Amino acid sequence: MAIELSNLMERSLSMLSSDHKSVVSMNLFVALLCACIVIGHLLEENRWMNESITALIIGLCTGIVILLTTNGTSSHVLMFSEDLFFIYLLPPIIFNAGFQVKKKQFFRNFMTIMLFGAVGTLISFVIISAGAVHFFKQMNIGTLKIGDYLAIGAIFAATDSVCTLQVLNQDETPLLYSLVFGEGVVNDATSVVLFNAIQSFDLSHINLSIALKFVGSFFYLFIASTMLGVIAGLLSAFIIKKLYMGRHSTDREVALMILMAYLSYMLAELFYLSGILTVFFCGIVMSHYTWHNVTESSRVTTKHAFATLSFVAEIFIFLYVGMDALDIEKWRVVRDSPGKSVGVSAILLGLVLLGRAAFVFPLSFLSNLTKKSSHEKIGLKQQLTIWWAGLMRGAVSMALAYKQFTSSGHTKLHGNAIMITSTITVVLFSTVVFGLMTQPLVRILLPSSKNLSRMLSDESSTPKSFIVPLLGNGQGSEADLKTPNVTRPTSLRMLLATPSHTVHHYWRKFDDAFMRPVFGGRGFVPVVPGSPLEQSVHQWQQE
């Protein structure tokens, strides 16, 4: 009896000790997040730094300190988990991007975005995979199979849309932002779909039947994921419009918007679809319909809630990537061949550069052939900027590499360890070097694009530009549209005077006639009498 009590007490003490270590780790990590925000604010005016790189550098410095204090046994306070990344951190980032994106710019360049995001990713995937097979077999880095080489292509074809969000500014360079970020979302979805297909298909015996199934599965995932996001967004709009919860509780409609957005992502994962595409299009649909159906206070709340969740998730990712880069276990496995690890990293960087150049410039040429106006064409300087801004690799590549080459975050195989350490090296180098130089490059190549871009990119129907007293920053508000002295380009004035019969023109007619009466949206929202919203709508109708 005494022995049993003694064992029970020992287990209880070990559990308490483990819980206390977890509390200490979380305290340290939250404190580091706060430090990233404060330092990022102090460096806000710096044209070289941004929050992503700041968090990465702080993570690296913290990893060094932890290594020194633990005598080289550990470099981080939390274990990296693909589930943590894909289920908790990525959804708010991608949803907020869809929720805040300027829809006119995005859909105006939709075909170009799909060319870059889908076709371009496939081209990059083929080049990186072929290069990995050619070089790595000669280097004899380990027992890598054909599935591993193809997985490498999918891992390094994934651009870092998270870092791109902070490097490019949506208001200063709307065309570049919509192209690079729109491509990044489709690119991430394509890379994840390719990666999952590689793991699910038997690649040792490839034939025509398997290839056709692969292509069919690819298109099915794209279409089904997009439709699921659209349906989830429309359902939330319909429920909030019919019930109009804001009359009794704004908390309920805000909570419903957040939960419906997250539910769309989890449903996609449940049905083995692309959660990235689903939650992105759910964000677009919610900003077009649902956001206009809630009360004015809920609009302010949701806009800031989604932006805050996205911001914290981005900082969390880069802070952890910085700490995990110094994980001693992986580097210990490859310490006997440091030159080989550096060589693999250099080859991967070269393949990333080549793979991106192989589709950006040719596909830009093809896209320009379909554009009649010179203002809509992608110039050489813009192509260079798009090529450079998409060279960064980040947390998606890290998560996929861990999924392919580790078991629960650990690896003892020499070839797998080299691939993990090389992925870390590529992510750090591309984020810091390419990320630091992107903003200065944009200012050098496109010095006069700021004013014209802002004038062309006004869009009053997005959550970011709605006129509310608490957000009186004057950017893209309806007051700008009501000012009679605003000068617009001749081509835009002609387009407004005689709308062309484009896809967008027919969509607007269909949207006004069928969609908005059912699902709400701008011009079809319930108005509480006497509210500031009712006054602004009344003034807008009088003019």
Side-chain angles (χ1 to χ4, degrees):
M1 187 70 179
I3 296 175
E4 291 180 359
L5 286 174
S6 176
N7 291 335
L8 183 62
M9 290 181 64
E10 287 180 4
R11 285 198 297 268
S12 300
L13 288 172
S14 64
M15 289 176 63
L16 287 172
S17 177
S18 176
D19 290 342
H20 183 70
K21 287 181 180 179
S22 299
V23 171
V24 171
S25 299
M26 289 305 299
N27 272 280
L28 177 59
F29 208 91
V30 172
L32 289 172
L33 287 173
C34 294
C36 290
I37 294 172
V38 172
I39 296 174
H41 173 73
L42 296 175
L43 297 174
E44 187 175 8
E45 299 301 322
N46 191 301
R47 67 183 226 172
W48 297 89
M49 298 292 289
N50 57 61
E51 282 89 353
S52 304
I53 299 170
T54 302
L56 199 61
I57 293 174
I58 290 176
L60 281 169
C61 295
T62 306
I64 293 172
V65 172
I66 296 174
L67 271 177
L68 294 175
T69 56
T70 59
N71 296 322
T73 59
S74 177
S75 67
H76 45 64
V77 294
L78 296 172
M79 287 299 297
F80 186 86
S81 169
E82 306 93 64
D83 291 338
L84 173 67
F85 174 73
F86 281 110
I87 295 178
Y88 300 108
L89 298 178
L90 191 61
I93 296 170
I94 302 299
F95 175 81
N96 184 65
F99 194 72
Q100 302 281 7
V101 75
K102 294 186 183 296
K103 294 184 290 294
K104 287 182 181 177
Q105 281 288 338
F106 180 81
F107 286 105
R108 186 180 295 147
N109 300 289
F110 186 73
M111 292 308 298
T112 305
I113 288 171
M114 293 304 295
L115 264 180
F116 284 179
V119 179
T121 302
L122 290 173
I123 294 172
S124 181
F125 163 75
V126 170
I127 290 175
I128 294 173
S129 298
V133 171
H134 177 73
F135 290 108
F136 295 166
K137 281 188 175 181
Q138 295 179 0
M139 296 177 68
N140 191 27
I141 63 173
T143 56
L144 297 180
K145 301 177 182 178
I146 185 64
D148 294 323
Y149 290 116
L150 294 176
I152 290 170
I155 289 167
F156 289 99
T159 61
D160 184 17
S161 56
V162 174
C163 193
T164 305
L165 275 171
Q166 297 195 358
V167 170
L168 294 178
N169 187 288
Q170 187 170 205
D171 294 318
E172 293 181 4
T173 54
L175 175 62
L176 284 176
Y177 186 95
S178 64
L179 288 177
V180 175
F181 174 70
E183 176 227 334
V185 173
V186 181
N187 167 280
D188 287 345
T190 306
S191 300
V192 173
V193 169
L194 281 170
F195 184 85
N196 292 335
I198 290 165
Q199 291 195 322
S200 60
F201 279 85
D202 183 12
L203 299 172
S204 58
H205 302 90
I206 299 177
N207 53 40
L208 182 60
S209 176
I210 292 178
L212 290 176
K213 285 181 181 179
F214 182 85
V215 173
S217 174
F218 187 80
F219 283 105
Y220 160 74
L221 286 172
F222 256 86
I223 297 171
S225 301
T226 302
M227 291 304 299
L228 179 59
V230 171
I231 291 170
L234 291 176
L235 182 60
S236 69
F238 183 79
I239 293 172
I240 290 178
K241 180 176 182 290
K242 287 298 181 183
L243 299 181
Y244 194 36
M245 301 175 182
R247 289 176 297 181
H248 307 292
S249 172
T250 57
D251 297 338
R252 291 172 185 165
E253 56 185 7
V254 171
L256 186 63
M257 284 186 70
I258 294 174
L259 291 174
M260 286 293 290
Y262 190 66
L263 179 63
S264 70
Y265 185 90
M266 294 311 298
L267 283 174
E269 295 297 313
L270 178 66
F271 296 120
Y272 301 101
L273 301 175
S274 173
I276 296 173
L277 270 180
T278 297
V279 79
F280 178 73
F281 280 97
C282 181
I284 291 178
V285 172
M286 277 193 173
S287 71
H288 189 64
Y289 296 108
T290 313
W291 190 77
H292 292 281
N293 296 344
V294 300
T295 57
E296 185 180 0
S297 59
S298 295
R299 298 184 191 191
V300 179
T301 303
T302 52
K303 177 185 181 296
H304 287 286
F306 292 140
T308 302
L309 288 172
S310 173
F311 176 75
V312 173
E314 291 171 11
I315 300 301
F316 189 104
I317 288 172
F318 283 99
L319 180 62
Y320 188 83
V321 167
M323 282 192 288
D324 194 66
L326 298 174
D327 186 10
I328 198 67
E329 177 188 318
K330 304 176 187 64
W331 293 102
R332 187 180 287 121
V333 177
V334 300
R335 63 183 176 183
D336 59 333
S337 54
K340 188 177 291 186
S341 181
V342 172
V344 170
S345 302
I347 290 171
L348 288 172
L349 272 171
L351 291 174
V352 166
L353 291 166
L354 178 62
R356 185 154 184 86
F359 76 83
V360 168
F361 300 107
L363 294 184
S364 296
F365 175 76
L366 292 177
S367 176
N368 288 340
L369 293 178
T370 65
K371 304 292 177 63
K372 296 180 180 179
S373 173
S374 60
H375 297 290
E376 296 178 348
K377 294 184 177 181
I378 308 171
L380 181 59
K381 291 182 177 180
Q382 290 176 321
Q383 292 176 33
L384 286 171
T385 307
I386 292 169
W387 170 73
W388 184 270
L391 292 174
M392 289 169 281
R393 298 296 179 267
V396 174
S397 297
M398 287 277 291
L400 294 180
Y402 271 75
K403 197 171 184 178
Q404 179 69 22
F405 297 109
T406 67
S407 175
S408 301
H410 302 280
T411 181
K412 297 295 183 182
L413 297 177
H414 187 262
N416 290 358
I418 284 182
M419 292 314 307
I420 291 294
T421 54
S422 298
T423 302
I424 292 171
T425 303
V426 170
V427 168
L428 289 177
F429 184 87
S430 63
T431 301
V432 175
V433 176
F434 299 154
L436 282 174
M437 297 183 65
T438 298
Q439 282 186 357
L441 189 71
V442 170
R443 296 184 184 185
I444 292 171
L445 294 177
L446 307 165
S448 61
S449 63
K450 185 173 180 179
N451 294 331
L452 180 61
S453 296
R454 282 186 173 175
M455 183 169 60
L456 290 173
S457 64
D458 272 348
E459 183 183 351
S460 59
S461 61
T462 58
K464 203 168 188 175
S465 59
F466 189 79
I467 179 168
V468 287
L470 297 178
L471 303 174
N473 56 7
Q475 293 184 353
S477 67
E478 287 190 21
D480 298 333
L481 297 177
K482 291 187 285 187
T483 305
N485 296 325
V486 175
T487 303
R488 296 188 179 276
T490 305
S491 59
L492 185 59
R493 189 184 300 116
M494 290 175 61
L495 180 63
L496 293 173
T498 56
S500 60
H501 293 274
T502 60
V503 174
H504 181 261
H505 170 72
Y506 287 112
W507 160 249
R508 287 300 297 270
K509 292 181 66 176
F510 174 78
D511 191 28
D512 292 338
F514 299 101
M515 299 296 288
R516 293 190 183 190
V518 177
F519 299 105
R522 183 176 176 80
F524 293 87
V525 295
V527 180
V528 178
S531 68
L533 179 59
E534 189 220 5
Q535 297 170 12
S536 64
V537 170
H538 181 66
Q539 293 173 0
W540 178 71
Q541 289 173 342
Q542 285 181 335
E543 295 191 0

